């Protein structure tokens, strides 16, 4: 693997975490950090191993969608090995870690269920969680986080209207390495809290723009509309339809319907 030892060493020296980033690979350019992390997990890399890319050539979102991660964006994947039961907290842990990271940089963000992070309604971060199961038990999960730190979104017409970056809000350049250090520190802090998951759940909902709003959910082409009532213990969205019935949404794309 063509890692860049200088950046990896620099980041490891600055990180004060216990296990997240103790094994850390920095690659200048990759297809997707998800693929590299998966290879490492298959070879037995420990929990907390982090793969960071300076840029991705084939970054991906859910359902094979494209994720743009040019230079100036943060793209990383982390190998985690929670219990099968704790796996359901990863969306809360990861989106809250990003939420706190952005807050520490001086910008107020919001979480959009299940795990996008927005600034003033525009997407600044996407999160992808892939898991590997064996006989119904989780072997490992790969948590992929992409944050638009410091690049000019206007150069990407496909996302220019829907996306934003941290630097656009701070009106100055932001160091991707600084954001990596804060993010990995927050991620470890929150991941260690999964044992007190009800606190996480509460904090997650408090910072979610989706709750209480009228929304439209697209589940692979099937559209449902109603009010987002709450997030249940399983991490699923509870939707109250206009006829009063209640539906549990496990996965889907949410749009806020303007009143
Ligand atoms: C996501 O998918 O939001 C998950 C993105 C995860 C990216 C990380 S980067 C590190 C790791 N390596 C990877 O290859 N992936 C992970 P989804 O909810 O499906 O949203 C995808 C949609 O977001 C696209 O169809 C675009 O509309 C939009 N999009 C693409 N690039 C974007 C960007 N840089 N900023 C904001 N929106 C973007």
């Amino acid at each position: 693997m063509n890692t860049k030892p200088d950046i990896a060493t620099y980041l490891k020296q600055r990180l004060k975490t216990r296990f997240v980033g103790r094994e850390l690979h920095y690659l200048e350019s990759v297809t997707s950090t998800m693929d590299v992390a998966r290879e490492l997990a298959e070879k037995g890399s420990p929990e907390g191993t982090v793969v960071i890319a300076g840029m991705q050539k084939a970054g991906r979102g859910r359902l094979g969608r494209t994720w743009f991660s040019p230079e100036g964006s943060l793209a990383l994947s982390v190998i985690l090995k929670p219990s099968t039961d704790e796996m359901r907290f990863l969306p809360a842990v990861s989106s809250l870690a990003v939420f706190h990271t952005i807050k520490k940089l001086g910008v107020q963000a919001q979480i959009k269920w299940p795990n996008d992070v927005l600034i003033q309604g525009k997407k600044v971060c996407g999160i992808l969680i892939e898991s590997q199961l064996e006989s119904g038990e989780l072997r490992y999960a790969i948590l992929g986080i992409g944050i638009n730190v410091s690049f000019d979104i206007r150069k990407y017409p496909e996302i220019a209207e829907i996306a934003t970056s941290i630097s656009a809000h701070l009106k100055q350049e932001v160091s991707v390495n600084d954001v990596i250090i804060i993010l990995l520190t927050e991620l470890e802090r929150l991941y260690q809290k999964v044992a007190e998951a009800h606190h996480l759940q509460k904090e997650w909902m408090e910072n979610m723009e989706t709750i209480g709003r009228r929304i439209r959910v697209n589940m692979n082409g099937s559209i449902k509309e109603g009010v987002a009532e709450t997030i249940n213990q399983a991490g699923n969205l509870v939707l109250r339809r206009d006829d009063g019935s209640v539906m549990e949404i496990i996965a889907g794309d949410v749009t806020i319907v303007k009143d």
Side-chain angles (χ1 to χ4, degrees):
M1 203 185 303
N2 178 23
T3 57
K4 263 205 130 181
D6 43 348
I7 296 187
T9 307
Y10 167 75
L11 289 171
K12 275 211 294 209
Q13 277 168 353
R14 282 187 63 193
L15 265 179
K16 300 285 175 263
T17 45
R18 195 169 60 80
F19 68 98
V20 171
R22 288 296 110 209
E23 180 175 331
L24 185 146
H25 302 266
Y26 182 94
L27 299 137
E28 222 160 332
S29 170
V30 286
T31 49
S32 162
T33 54
M34 300 304 278
D35 300 333
V36 182
R38 183 174 288 269
E39 270 174 43
L40 289 168
E42 286 297 331
K43 285 186 194 146
S45 283
E47 177 167 60
T49 297
V50 176
V51 177
I52 303 171
M55 63 166 287
Q56 295 185 116
K57 287 174 288 192
R60 60 174 183 264
R62 294 174 298 158
L63 309 166
R65 293 179 192 134
T66 301
W67 181 259
F68 294 98
S69 29
E71 212 179 309
S73 71
L74 176 158
L76 61 79
S77 293
V78 188
I79 300 174
L80 293 174
K81 301 184 179 175
S83 68
T84 312
D85 182 52
E86 286 166 353
M87 172 76 193
R88 65 198 158 106
F89 299 116
L90 291 189
V93 165
S94 47
S95 52
L96 277 172
V98 175
F99 169 85
H100 283 294
T101 299
I102 295 177
K103 197 168 184 179
K104 287 207 155 128
L105 294 166
V107 182
Q108 184 64 41
Q110 304 84 38
I111 296 165
K112 179 184 168 200
W113 184 87
N115 48 16
D116 282 350
V117 183
L118 316 176
I119 300 176
Q120 291 179 6
K122 294 197 169 175
K123 186 157 164 171
V124 69
C125 162
I127 295 169
L128 182 66
I129 300 167
E130 294 179 348
S131 52
Q132 187 66 38
L133 298 161
E134 197 172 81
S135 316
E137 289 299 311
L138 185 81
R139 278 182 58 218
Y140 58 80
I142 312 269
L143 172 62
I145 303 180
I147 306 181
N148 303 330
V149 177
S150 229
F151 75 90
D152 191 352
I153 302 283
R154 290 168 302 182
K155 288 190 183 146
Y156 297 83
E158 296 94 329
I159 55 167
E161 294 299 316
I162 56 157
T164 190
S165 67
I166 299 177
S167 60
H169 287 270
L170 287 174
K171 299 194 172 45
Q172 62 182 46
E173 291 282 302
V174 181
S175 147
V176 177
N177 287 340
D178 288 352
V179 182
I180 291 171
I181 299 291
I182 305 173
L183 175 66
L184 295 179
T185 307
E186 285 298 308
L187 191 65
E188 179 172 290
R189 179 179 75 78
L190 290 156
Y191 183 63
Q192 285 174 327
K193 275 193 177 180
V194 284
E196 318 153 37
H198 54 285
H199 292 305
L200 277 181
Q201 178 97 1
K202 186 165 169 279
E203 197 191 353
W204 195 36
M205 279 179 50
E206 278 167 4
N207 292 299
M208 199 177 276
E209 53 134 40
T210 324
I211 305 299
R213 306 288 295 273
R214 185 162 186 84
I215 58 164
R216 191 171 294 136
V217 191
N218 185 337
M219 293 170 291
N220 269 333
S222 158
I223 316 269
K224 305 283 178 213
E225 208 176 297
V227 174
E229 205 160 70
T230 188
I231 305 294
N232 64 17
Q233 284 300 314
N236 298 333
L237 180 72
V238 177
L239 182 75
R240 175 145 328 249
R241 318 275 317 273
D242 292 343
D243 62 6
S245 65
V246 164
M247 238 188 118
E248 186 177 347
I249 314 282
I250 297 168
D253 285 310
V254 172
T255 334
I256 308 269
V257 179
K258 299 264 179 293
D259 304 314

